[in-house]
Amino acid sequence: MTRQLPQDPIVRELVVQARRMQFSRRNILQGAGIGAGALALAACAPTSAGAPKPAEDISATDKTLTWSNWPAYIDEDDDGNYPTLVRFQDQTGISVEYKVDIDDNNTYYGTIKDQLALGQFTGADTFCLTEWMVARLIRFGYVQDLDAANIPNKKNLAPALLNPDFDPGRAKSLPWQNGFAGLAWNTEEIPAGIKSVDDLWKPALKGKVTVLSEMRDTMGILLLSQGVDISTEDWGTDEYQAAIAVLEENVSSGQIFGIKGNEYMQDFVSGDAIAAIAWSGDITVLNAEAGYEKWKFALPETGGTLWGDTFVVPMGSPRKANAETLMNYYYEPEVAAEVAAWVNYITPVVGAQEVAAEKFPEVADNQLIFPDATTLSNAHIFRTLDSADDQAFNAEFQRVKLGA
């Protein structure tokens, strides 16, 4: 039976893109430059000892929780407190240690992969990594099943996000925020703005450009600029090598001075960078701190990427029910709207836009938070990679990154 698309244009567009995502398997190890790196990354795979078992849940007697997340990714007041999180603790009696210690998916994974493989506590009961990394953790058996009975507000999840190919029905994961990667620039240094990826390579910007250490965002935007539809499986080694050549050329020439995670924000503030491949919400945060629109963000003419960061509970966490209570709280539309108004990313919670229209009208029509179908049509989801693609593409990207 053919499933009908939802009527809401935002959700409908997400569904269309999600359906385009195919699980690809290509013999990319034939490429000499890619093959060696893929073998080196084989150590990332789980051991033959078998998948770890979930820790015994002590949430009933231990009302604590440790949550790891990215910088500038939750509402914050002038005193450095997190108002929604403070209210959660007051309402539930669960004390939360909120750790801002994720700067890059691969870097964070590298710090916890040994504990994950052994089913040991990683230092966080829940964390919000990007969905391609979540797909890896699920594939390796590193995360626990979620108890839907503890998350009744899961009903507020946007339908388009309910059945990703790596976790049908969201049995093991729940989205935190979604967002765009695109182009950003200092409006004082580049008053004419930036419209295309090629603008980043202009001689006047030499040594002042940064790109993201998130392979799928930087390479996705480069591939899109070369006419590749990254949402489909109709591309592989040849197209990727052509895009990586552009990246390597601009790293080698000094046009790009850094391939970075969230620390590129400090480069913007210091003036070391004036143009970048960047994340949408970061630019709003920087402008809020500056007190005016010093930086601008836009999707390239050829398209930007659409990504999602997602809650999971690792096997070694002994406080899964506490984590589920946290997830449930942040799926209340009122809470989701408050977070969205501060972080300026796309909330996955249905009903949040209506709340924002009433309480936060200044953001309710912001296309970077509540995008319409037109905006979404220029944003693309990087196709799901099988383990061979994942290892090989990342190996090439890391090789170039080390030379930056």
Side-chain angles (χ1 to χ4, degrees):
M1 180 179 67
T2 301
R3 186 183 298 271
Q4 296 298 312
L5 290 175
Q7 294 304 306
D8 183 279
I10 296 176
V11 175
R12 184 166 61 248
E13 179 61 24
L14 283 169
V15 171
V16 169
Q17 296 214 39
R19 286 181 177 177
R20 290 176 184 162
M21 295 172 65
Q22 301 293 328
F23 194 77
S24 169
R25 185 158 192 84
R26 292 175 179 269
N27 187 19
I28 59 177
L29 292 179
Q30 293 176 351
I34 293 181
L39 293 175
L41 279 179
C44 292
T47 67
S48 59
K53 304 297 182 183
E56 179 183 357
D57 196 339
I58 60 173
S59 296
T61 56
D62 185 347
K63 295 300 182 182
T64 64
L65 177 68
T66 302
W67 176 13
S68 284
N69 212 346
W70 302 76
Y73 219 20
I74 192 173
D75 54 302
E76 187 173 350
D77 64 20
D78 293 339
D79 296 322
N81 299 313
Y82 310 115
T84 59
L85 193 55
V86 169
R87 291 201 301 274
F88 169 79
Q89 294 177 100
D90 290 342
Q91 291 176 20
T92 64
I94 298 172
S95 177
V96 181
E97 180 185 5
Y98 186 77
K99 299 168 71 173
V100 183
D101 58 353
I102 302 176
D103 180 70
D104 174 90
N105 282 287
N106 281 311
T107 301
Y108 185 76
Y109 175 70
T111 66
I112 64 173
K113 65 183 179 64
D114 292 339
Q115 292 98 320
L116 287 171
L118 296 172
Q120 297 174 349
F121 184 56
T122 66
D125 296 292
T126 186
F127 45 72
C128 299
L129 295 178
T130 308
E131 292 204 326
W132 66 264
M133 179 61 78
V134 169
R136 175 190 292 179
L137 300 184
I138 290 174
R139 185 168 69 244
F140 289 174
Y142 288 169
V143 300
Q144 300 190 43
D145 288 332
L146 300 178
D147 185 348
N150 291 334
I151 318 173
N153 285 332
K154 182 180 175 180
K155 67 180 185 295
N156 296 327
L157 173 63
L161 304 177
L162 180 60
N163 289 295
D165 56 1
F166 61 86
D167 187 22
R170 293 287 180 179
K172 299 175 183 290
S173 66
L174 199 63
W176 166 240
Q177 303 288 315
N178 294 79
F180 300 117
L183 303 174
W185 63 94
N186 183 316
T187 60
E188 297 171 345
E189 299 287 344
I190 314 173
I194 294 177
K195 295 182 178 180
S196 71
V197 171
D198 287 342
D199 287 342
L200 295 176
W201 316 142
K202 291 181 177 179
L205 299 184
K206 186 171 183 177
K208 294 290 187 176
V209 176
T210 64
V211 299
L212 293 169
S213 59
E214 191 64 62
M215 182 272 285
R216 285 160 180 78
D217 288 329
T218 290
M219 295 308 300
I221 286 174
L222 293 181
L223 285 160
L224 286 163
S225 74
Q226 296 181 346
V228 176
D229 185 351
I230 61 172
S231 300
T232 74
E233 61 177 340
D234 298 329
W235 61 276
T237 303
D238 291 345
E239 291 83 0
Y240 189 83
Q241 289 284 49
I244 204 81
V246 172
L247 179 67
E248 186 167 21
E249 175 186 351
N250 284 285
V251 167
S252 299
S253 70
Q255 186 75 18
I256 295 172
F257 97 91
I259 300 178
K260 302 189 175 187
N262 278 103
E263 70 267 27
Y264 78 88
M265 297 169 68
Q266 281 71 51
D267 295 325
F268 264 16
V269 172
S270 68
D272 289 336
I274 61 174
I277 292 177
W279 289 310
S280 53
D282 290 343
I283 305 308
T284 303
V285 171
L286 286 173
N287 284 332
E289 293 174 350
Y292 65 104
E293 194 175 46
K294 184 175 181 179
W295 295 276
K296 289 200 73 171
F297 175 92
L299 296 178
E301 295 172 329
T302 49
T305 61
L306 177 67
W307 46 263
D309 292 327
T310 298
F311 281 113
V312 291
V313 178
M315 281 293 186
S317 166
R319 289 168 285 270
K320 181 171 76 79
N322 290 346
E324 292 163 341
T325 302
L326 178 81
M327 296 177 202
N328 188 65
Y329 170 78
Y330 278 100
Y331 265 68
E332 295 177 8
E334 294 79 7
V335 178
E338 187 172 349
V339 172
W342 199 93
V343 303
N344 289 271
Y345 283 110
I346 304 169
T347 176
V349 179
V350 172
Q353 185 172 17
E354 288 75 12
V355 173
E358 179 181 347
K359 295 185 176 181
F360 311 104
E362 69 278 8
V363 303
D365 296 322
N366 187 325
Q367 288 298 299
L368 300 182
I369 305 174
F370 301 106
D372 59 22
T374 300
T375 300
L376 284 168
S377 69
N378 200 33
H380 307 268
I381 299 171
F382 199 105
R383 69 173 171 88
T384 301
L385 301 177
D386 64 20
S387 59
D389 288 357
D390 188 10
Q391 292 175 3
F393 288 178
N394 269 299
E396 275 292 84
F397 186 74
Q398 293 301 318
R399 178 183 64 79
V400 176
K401 180 183 175 183
L402 289 174

